[in-house]
Amino acid sequence: MTIVGMRLVNHEPNAIDLRTTPVHLGLGSRAKPVEGFAWDPEVLHAYSAVAADGAEGRMVTIFDGDGLGDHWERHPAGDELVVCLSGSVTVTRDVDGVPDRVVLGPGEATVNPAGTWHAVDMAGPASILTITAGLDTDHRPRTEARPTEHAGTSGPRTP
């Protein structure tokens, strides 16, 4: 599946806003903005084909938010780095059914291990930067205290 208009840009001479244009880190030490990217299930599914680096590709994004995250997610292809840029962020991981919480302030980071279900909550306005192995990312609605194994959608959405 290819989404019309989504592509990796070979050279971008201007500033890149990571809030609206993720950057794909790929094979050969490449860093390319993802033009035409959107947080839409169809686009998320197509991102893996456009990026074409499989488990070695990483997506770099910035998220601004305020409040509880609405989903659990996991990234089976690799670890995810979450860096708090401003505010306060709590990353909750489901470790064998037990919540493991890490509170981050500005400049602090944590690593979500590959395949670990996690959710992100922001205490007041906050910003995070994520570097994510997006291939085959799974999402689950955050309607229960912990995610289930058999319901949800896939795609490289982060954090």
Side-chain angles (χ1 to χ4, degrees):
M1 172 190 292
T2 301
I3 302 298
V4 176
M6 185 171 55
R7 67 183 180 94
L8 299 180
V9 177
N10 287 321
H11 176 68
E12 175 55 62
N14 299 312
I16 301 163
D17 183 350
L18 290 174
R19 289 170 175 85
T20 59
T21 305
V23 169
H24 175 78
L25 303 179
L27 299 176
S29 300
R30 294 183 335 218
K32 296 184 176 187
V34 183
E35 184 178 82
F37 187 84
W39 293 113
D40 171 272
E42 208 172 302
V43 176
L44 290 170
H45 181 72
Y47 167 74
S48 294
V50 170
D53 292 324
E56 297 305 315
R58 299 291 183 268
M59 186 180 344
V60 181
T61 56
I62 291 178
F63 295 95
D64 299 314
D66 184 353
L68 299 178
D70 64 355
H71 66 279
W72 290 95
E73 66 181 20
R74 67 178 172 180
H75 313 287
D79 298 341
E80 174 184 55
L81 177 67
V82 178
V83 181
C84 180
L85 299 176
S86 65
S88 178
V89 176
T90 300
V91 177
T92 302
R93 298 182 191 95
D94 182 341
V95 180
D96 298 324
V98 177
D100 174 35
R101 292 181 179 86
V102 178
V103 178
L104 305 175
E108 295 179 325
T110 190
V111 174
N112 291 319
T116 301
W117 285 105
H118 60 277
V120 177
D121 299 318
M122 298 177 170
S127 294
I128 59 172
L129 177 134
T130 62
I131 302 174
T132 306
L135 183 66
D136 295 329
T137 291
D138 292 317
H139 294 98
R140 306 286 187 253
R142 197 165 176 194
T143 56
E144 300 177 9
R146 85 182 277 241
T148 60
E149 290 295 321
H150 301 291
T153 59
S154 293
R157 183 176 173 184
T158 56

